[in-house]
Amino acid sequence: MAYARVRLDPALGNAIADAYLAAPGRDERAFVAYAEFCAHTMRQYQFLIGRVEFGGLGVAVRVVDDDPYPDAAAMVEDVRHRRLRVFASAATGNPHPYLSDGENDMFRAVHDAFGHAASGRGFDAHGEEAAWLKHGVMYPPLARRALTTEIRGQTCALVFRRTGRGFPEQKAALLPRRFSDRRTVLVDRAAG
């Protein structure tokens, strides 16, 4: 996959934004997917921070109270040196209705490492789409639906509906299944 060519389709993005904003903040029917998502995220985190001599990546993760990177390139450079700073969930004032702050911080770490750094893409809408696509291969289908809410849902709500007003409320709900379909990703054949 040429992640440099991944683009967020505006028509799809608007539909995802509407679905995210219409979703309840906490839907108990989504909890099975979120439990699976959380279990896979914890395993990914243990791999990320695990000692190299035991098969881990040996990345030292530090949770900080301010946005730690001016851009994705600075974050990727840190990951190359086996360190990663993550903006603390507790510092955002936007608690997750299912994940604890610690679990959400672990998710932010693995998403930055296995989504952004692994795809080589930044934090803009197109970079988030590429990171969702790249990181999504590490989750089984049910957990990927929760990942879709977390990444595609929040990104699209931010980009298409909340311009300049900060991140939307975090939710524990599942978007329609079609939004978790990797085949919906737009790949610009001319880019790159």
Side-chain angles (χ1 to χ4, degrees), residues 39-125:
H40 281 271
T41 297
M42 298 307 109
R43 284 195 287 277
Q44 292 171 25
Y45 186 78
Q46 291 307 314
F47 174 63
L48 179 68
I49 67 168
R51 291 173 50 172
V52 173
E53 59 269 27
F54 297 121
L57 296 179
V59 175
V61 175
R62 199 171 101 225
V63 179
V64 298
D65 289 335
D66 294 307
D67 194 352
Y69 298 109
D71 54 40
M75 186 263 305
V76 169
E77 185 62 23
D78 255 6
V79 171
R80 283 191 184 117
H81 291 96
R82 294 194 174 159
R83 59 183 180 244
L84 177 63
R85 290 172 289 155
V86 176
F87 188 18
S89 297
T92 67
N94 188 4
H96 197 283
Y98 184 89
L99 303 174
S100 70
D101 285 343
E103 290 166 336
N104 207 18
D105 292 341
M106 288 182 218
F107 170 64
R108 289 174 181 211
V110 298
H111 182 66
D112 282 352
F114 301 130
H116 292 287
S119 69
R121 296 295 299 274
F123 305 123
D124 66 352

Side-chain angles (χ1 to χ4, degrees), residues 1 7 12 20 26-27 50 65-66 82-85 87 92 105 107 112 117 136 144 147 154-155 161 163-164 187:
M1 167 58 68
R7 301 291 180 264
L12 178 65
Y20 184 85
R26 182 179 167 93
D27 185 349
D65 289 335
D66 294 307
R82 294 194 174 159
R83 59 183 180 244
L84 177 63
R85 290 172 289 155
F87 188 18
T92 67
D105 292 341
F107 170 64
D112 282 352
R144 193 176 312 125
L147 176 73
Q154 285 185 35
T155 297
R161 298 292 180 268
T163 305
V187 178

